[in-house]
Amino acid sequence: MVDVFIVGSKGIPAQYGGYETFVDKLTENRCNMDIKYHVACKVRRDDHSVKRFSYNHADCFNVTVPKIGAAEAIYYDLAAINESIAYIKKNKIEAPILYILACRIGPFMSLVTKRFHSLGGKVYINPDGHEWKRAKWSAPVREYWKQSERMMVKRADLIVCDSKNIELYIRNTYRSYRPQTTFIAYGADLPRTFKTSDKTDLVEWLKDHNLKERDFYLVVGRFVPENNLKT
């Protein structure tokens, strides 16, 4: 049995967010019964939910996070990692894998990796695109994100990229660290059978927009500078 501890999503069941949906679908569609997922879930101090619960056959554990503004995400990741380590030691789990989503805890990454290696484990990360370039962050925050990403890539045993371009960026930017990377696409749910003629509202929509089936692209994205739909 391989125990994988997932840290960085807000938790499952997913209510919103890419990472949350990813973890939800990952656990829902687990094919290898020799993998046991442990998923951190973020809760507030006034949330009296049970400490641990099962969802999609995954072991989910709630991590209480105070309202401390921008530092919440960093606090959450570190608290979740500490709880994971305590659980590993208590249950004498061998060769655990820590899978960190996003690159928020760079200054602490060296210690985190050292602690997991001492348990016979490994640390994987999934970088969140070019987070340090996003316009919504102030200049100091963007610099923190950039340096945090660098420190996490340097210390990780494996970088899992959900985009080929992100993998190329990681390899080129941090070439001196010789990062071990792999590309795994998010994937999508597709119906096994689908007849356009059975969907009268879709037929009308295509007609109203002078479109033909399988002859157009549908682009979905948020209206933010980093997801420029025109580009």
Side-chain angles (χ1 to χ4, degrees):
M1 180 68 70
V2 178
D3 290 84
V4 180
F5 292 79
I6 302 178
V7 170
S9 76
K10 292 182 177 66
I12 53 178
Q15 296 183 18
Y16 59 88
Y19 278 140
E20 290 70 37
T21 302
F22 158 66
V23 177
D24 203 322
K25 292 299 180 180
L26 176 68
T27 54
E28 177 187 344
N29 296 293
R30 180 180 60 144
C31 297
N32 189 342
M33 296 301 109
D34 290 330
I35 296 177
K36 177 68 174 180
Y37 291 110
H38 307 265
V39 182
C41 302
K42 181 181 177 182
V43 296
R44 293 296 185 188
R45 292 194 186 280
D46 57 355
D47 189 323
H48 301 295
S49 302
V50 294
K51 183 65 177 178
R52 301 192 89 92
F53 63 96
S54 179
Y55 179 77
N56 285 344
H57 301 291
D59 166 46
C60 303
F61 58 100
N62 286 325
V63 179
T64 304
V65 180
K67 292 183 179 181
I68 52 177
E72 280 185 22
I74 299 171
Y75 177 99
Y76 170 52
D77 286 358
L78 293 174
I81 290 171
N82 286 335
E83 291 201 23
S84 298
I85 290 174
Y87 184 89
I88 290 167
K89 290 181 177 179
K90 179 180 179 181
N91 293 277
K92 299 180 180 179
I93 294 173
E94 297 181 356
I97 292 174
L98 174 63
Y99 190 19
I100 306 174
L101 308 177
C103 296
R104 294 181 283 251
I105 58 168
F108 310 93
M109 187 63 177
S110 179
L111 177 60
V112 168
T113 301
K114 186 180 297 182
R115 293 176 72 187
F116 255 79
H117 284 178
S118 71
L119 297 170
K122 292 186 177 181
V123 179
Y124 299 172
I125 64 172
N126 186 313
D128 188 16
H130 298 304
E131 185 68 24
W132 57 272
K133 286 186 175 182
R134 299 189 66 181
K136 73 174 185 176
W137 303 120
S138 64
V141 173
R142 286 200 297 270
E143 183 62 24
Y144 173 84
W145 280 119
K146 186 176 182 179
Q147 295 306 320
S148 182
E149 176 187 89
R150 177 184 63 80
M151 289 183 276
M152 292 188 72
V153 169
K154 182 178 181 179
R155 300 297 180 183
D157 295 301
L158 178 68
I159 296 95
V160 181
C161 305
D162 52 57
S163 159
K164 290 183 178 180
N165 283 333
I166 291 298
E167 183 180 30
L168 186 63
Y169 158 75
I170 293 292
R171 286 182 176 180
N172 290 338
T173 304
Y174 304 108
R175 187 182 295 108
S176 62
Y177 299 152
R178 298 181 180 178
Q180 181 68 35
T181 67
T182 187
F183 163 66
I184 304 176
Y186 260 1
D189 290 328
L190 297 175
R192 293 184 181 277
T193 58
F194 182 86
K195 292 183 179 180
T196 302
S197 58
D198 293 338
K199 306 291 183 180
T200 56
D201 53 346
L202 176 57
V203 172
E204 289 300 319
W205 186 86
L206 292 172
K207 183 179 179 181
D208 290 343
H209 292 82
N210 295 316
L211 295 174
K212 296 180 180 180
E213 183 181 2
R214 300 183 185 278
D215 195 36
F216 65 94
Y217 290 102
L218 173 65
V219 180
V220 180
R222 293 171 295 174
F223 286 100
V224 296
E226 295 79 17
N227 281 10
N228 188 292
L229 298 183
K230 182 178 179 180
T231 301

